[in-house]
C-alpha cells in the first residue's frame, strides 16, 4: 500500500498566511491600546484564536489531514472548555 | 530484499496526540492566569505595564517568521530541493536564537529592576503583582525551554537532510519537528497579548 502524500503547499500561500498573521499581530496591539474594559481580554482571545486557526490549518497542514486529526482537535477544545468551565464554577462562587 | 514498514499518517497523528498534551500543560497555566486575573484585575494591568511591549512585539514577529521558514522547508523537501530546505531550517534556528537573545536582554532588564520570583521588591508590591510575575516567569520560561528543544530538533533534522535521510520520499521527521515548532508559536500567540498587552 502506498502512503498518501500531501501536495506541497505553495510558497505563495505560506507567505500570504504569514502576512495575514503579521497584520493580525498589529491589530491585537492596536486594539489593546483602546480602553474597552473586560472586552479587551475577549478581543485579545478572539484575535489569538483567529491566528491559531490560520497556523493550524495552513502551516500545520490540518486542512489536508484526515478527519481524525480534526475530530482530535475538537475533542481537545471540548476537554479544555470543561476544564476552564469547572474551574470557574468553583472560583466564581466561593 | 527487506520490506519496509512505515505509517507516516500514524506517525503524524502520534505527534498531534503529544501536542494535545502540550496544550493541556500550557492550558493549565493559562487557567491559573485567568483565575488570578479575575481576582486582581487592577494589579495585573499595573504589572503588565512593567513589561516591555517592544520586546514582546519583536519576539512575536520573530516567531511568526520562523513558523513561515519551517513551513516552507517542508514544501522545499517535498519538491526535492534539499539545499533550499536546509537554508530554511537554518533560518528557523537563527530566528530561534534571536528570540532567546531578546528574551535574555528582556529578563536581564527585569531582574535588574528587582523583579524576579521570590524577590523582596516584588513582595513589597503585593500579592496581585507577585502572582502576575510568577506566572509570567513560569509560562515564558517553559515556553523558552520549548524554543530550545524545538531548535535542537530542527538542528538534528537539518543534519538528516544533509545526509539524505530526510528526503522527498520520507520526511515525517521534518513534519513532526515543524508541528512542534508551530505549537511553540501558538503558545506565544496567546502569551503575548495576555501578558504584555493588558490595559
Amino acid at each position: 500500500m502506498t502512503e498518501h502524500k500531501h501536495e506541497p503547499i505553495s510558497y505563495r500561500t505560506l507567505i500570504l498566511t504569514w502576512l495575514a498573521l503579521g497584520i493580525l499581530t498589529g491589530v491585537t496591539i492596536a486594539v489593546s491600546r483602546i480602553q474597552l474594559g473586560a472586552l479587551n481580554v475577549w478581543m485579545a482571545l478572539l484575535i489569538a484564536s483567529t491566528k491559531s486557526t490560520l497556523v493550524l490549518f495552513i502551516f500545520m497542514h490540518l486542512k489536508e489531514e484526515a478527519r481524525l486529526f480534526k475530530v482530535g482537535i475538537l475533542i481537545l477544545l471540548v476537554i479544555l472548555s470543561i476544564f476552564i468551565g469547572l474551574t470557574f464554577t468553583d472560583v466564581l462562587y466561593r | 530484499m527487506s520490506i519496509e514498514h512505515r505509517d507516516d499518517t500514524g506517525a503524524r497523528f502520534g505527534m498531534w496526540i503529544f501536542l494535545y498534551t502540550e496544550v493541556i500543560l500550557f492550558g493549565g497555566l493559562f487557567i491559573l492566569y485567568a483565575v488570578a486575573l479575575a481576582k486582581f484585575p487592577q494589579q495585573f494591568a499595573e504589572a503588565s505595564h512593567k513589561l516591555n511591549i517592544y520586546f514582546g512585539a519583536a519576539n512575536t514577529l520573530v516567531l511568526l517568521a520562523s513558523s513561515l521558514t519551517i513551513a516552507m522547508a517542508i514544501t522545499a523537501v517535498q519538491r526535492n530541493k534539499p539545499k533550499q530546505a536546509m537554508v530554511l531550517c537554518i533560518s528557523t534556528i537563527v530566528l530561534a536564537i534571536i528570540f532567546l537573545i531578546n528574551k535574555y536582554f528582556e529578563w536581564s532588564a527585569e531582574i535588574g529592576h528587582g523583579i524576579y520570583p521570590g524577590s523582596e521588591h516584588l513582595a513589597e508590591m503585593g500579592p496581585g503583582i507577585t502572582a502576575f510575575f510568577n506566572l509570567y516567569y513560569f509560562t515564558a520560561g517553559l515556553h523558552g525551554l520549548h524554543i530550545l528543544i524545538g531548535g535542537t530538533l530542527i538542528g538534528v533534522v537539518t543534519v538528516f537532510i544533509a545526509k539524505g535521510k530526510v528526503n522527498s520520499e520520507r520526511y515525517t521527521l521534518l513534519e513532526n519537528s515543524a508541528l512542534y515548532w508551530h505549537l511553540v508559536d501558538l503558545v506565544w500567540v496567546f502569551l503575548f497579548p495576555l501578558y504584555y498587552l493588558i490595559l
Side-chain angles (χ1 to χ4, degrees), chain A residues 24 27-29 31-52 80-81 84-85 88 92, chain B residues 30-31 33-35 37-38 41 189-190 193-195 197-199:
Chain A
L24 284 171
V27 173
T28 322
I29 297 173
V31 169
S32 77
R33 300 299 94 185
I34 308 165
Q35 186 71 259
L36 298 168
L39 215 63
N40 275 116
V41 175
W42 293 109
M43 280 307 287
L45 287 174
L46 182 73
I47 297 166
S49 305
T50 312
K51 286 170 81 177
S52 305
L80 209 57
S81 311
I84 295 168
F88 275 92
L92 293 179
Chain B
F30 281 116
I31 290 169
Y33 169 93
V35 170
L37 176 68
V189 160
F190 283 90
L194 290 178
Y195 280 92
L197 299 177
I198 327 172
L199 261 193

Side-chain angles (χ1 to χ4, degrees), chain A residues 43-64:
Chain A
M43 280 307 287
L45 287 174
L46 182 73
I47 297 166
S49 305
T50 312
K51 286 170 81 177
S52 305
T53 310
L54 281 175
V55 171
L56 282 164
F57 277 86
I58 297 166
F59 281 174
M60 295 171 87
H61 298 198
L62 190 60
K63 210 170 79 182
E64 286 81 24

Side-chain angles (χ1 to χ4, degrees), chain B residues 122-165:
Chain B
L122 204 54
E124 285 163 9
M125 289 191 276
I129 292 179
T130 307
F132 178 91
F133 279 106
N134 285 347
L135 279 170
Y136 161 75
Y137 275 109
F138 193 81
T139 314
L142 190 63
H143 178 264
L145 187 65
H146 278 75
I147 295 269
L148 213 57
I149 296 168
T152 311
L153 214 54
I154 293 166
V156 171
V157 174
T158 312
V159 173
F160 276 32
I161 297 174
K163 286 184 173 171
K165 282 187 186 166

Side-chain angles (χ1 to χ4, degrees), chain A residues 3 5-11 14-15 18 21-22 25 28-29 32-35 40-41 44-45 48-49 51-52 55-56 59-62 65 68-69 72-73 76 79-80 83-84 87-88 91, chain B residues 6-9 12-13 16 19-20 23-24 31 34-35 37 53 57 60 64-65 67-68 71-72 74-76 78-79 84 88 168-169 171 175 179 182 185-186 189-190 192-194 196-197 199:
Chain A
E3 266 290 331
K5 279 220 183 337
H6 297 154
E7 280 300 302
I9 299 173
S10 70
Y11 285 166
L14 294 174
I15 290 169
W18 172 66
L21 289 168
T25 305
T28 322
I29 297 173
S32 77
R33 300 299 94 185
I34 308 165
Q35 186 71 259
N40 275 116
V41 175
L45 287 174
S49 305
K51 286 170 81 177
S52 305
V55 171
L56 282 164
F59 281 174
M60 295 171 87
H61 298 198
L62 190 60
E65 295 288 10
L68 177 68
F69 289 68
I73 295 271
L76 172 68
I79 292 172
L80 209 57
F83 194 2
I84 295 168
T87 307
F88 275 92
V91 169
Chain B
R6 54 189 271 224
D7 177 0
D8 289 350
T9 309
R12 279 200 310 276
F13 192 62
W16 276 94
L19 296 188
Y20 298 160
V23 172
I24 298 289
I31 290 169
V35 170
L37 176 68
I53 185 172
T60 305
L64 287 178
S67 257
L68 171 69
M72 284 169 79
I74 294 178
T75 301
Q78 285 172 324
R79 288 179 175 163
Q84 231 176 63
L88 287 163
S168 62
E169 283 302 306
Y171 50 83
E175 280 185 308
L179 284 176
H182 291 308
D185 185 27
L186 283 183
V189 160
F190 283 90
F192 170 61
L194 290 178
Y196 289 78
L197 299 177
L199 261 193

Side-chain angles (χ1 to χ4, degrees), chain B:
Chain B
M1 199 188 111
S2 69
I3 298 164
E4 196 191 14
H5 294 279
R6 54 189 271 224
D7 177 0
D8 289 350
T9 309
R12 279 200 310 276
F13 192 62
M15 191 66 197
W16 276 94
I17 291 174
F18 169 64
L19 296 188
Y20 298 160
T21 71
E22 290 274 56
V23 172
I24 298 289
L25 170 66
F26 280 99
L29 291 171
F30 281 116
I31 290 169
L32 270 178
Y33 169 93
V35 170
L37 176 68
K39 201 172 174 191
F40 306 107
Q42 266 98 44
Q43 289 88 333
F44 261 49
E46 199 187 316
S48 175
H49 290 170
K50 294 182 198 292
L51 291 186
N52 189 324
I53 185 172
Y54 296 104
F55 270 123
N59 267 349
T60 305
L61 296 177
V62 167
L63 274 194
L64 287 178
S66 72
S67 257
L68 171 69
T69 51
I70 198 69
M72 284 169 79
I74 294 178
T75 301
V77 162
Q78 285 172 324
R79 288 179 175 163
N80 204 7
K81 289 176 179 155
K83 284 232 173 70
Q84 231 176 63
M86 281 164 66
V87 169
L88 287 163
C89 282
I90 291 166
S91 313
T92 310
I93 297 168
V94 169
L95 288 164
I97 292 169
I98 293 174
F99 180 94
L100 290 174
I101 291 171
N102 267 342
K103 190 107 266 173
Y104 167 77
F105 282 116
E106 188 188 9
W107 279 21
S108 300
E110 281 153 12
I111 292 167
H113 287 117
I115 297 172
Y116 53 88
S119 80
E120 273 177 36
H121 182 55
L122 204 54
E124 285 163 9
M125 289 191 276
I129 292 179
T130 307
F132 178 91
F133 279 106
N134 285 347
L135 279 170
Y136 161 75
Y137 275 109
F138 193 81
T139 314
L142 190 63
H143 178 264
L145 187 65
H146 278 75
I147 295 269
L148 213 57
I149 296 168
T152 311
L153 214 54
I154 293 166
V156 171
V157 174
T158 312
V159 173
F160 276 32
I161 297 174
K163 286 184 173 171
K165 282 187 186 166
V166 167
N167 52 53
S168 62
E169 283 302 306
R170 177 165 208 165
Y171 50 83
T172 320
L173 190 66
L174 171 61
E175 280 185 308
N176 283 351
S177 308
L179 284 176
Y180 187 82
W181 192 255
H182 291 308
L183 177 97
V184 173
D185 185 27
L186 283 183
V187 170
W188 188 261
V189 160
F190 283 90
L191 201 158
F192 170 61
L194 290 178
Y195 280 92
Y196 289 78
L197 299 177
I198 327 172
L199 261 193

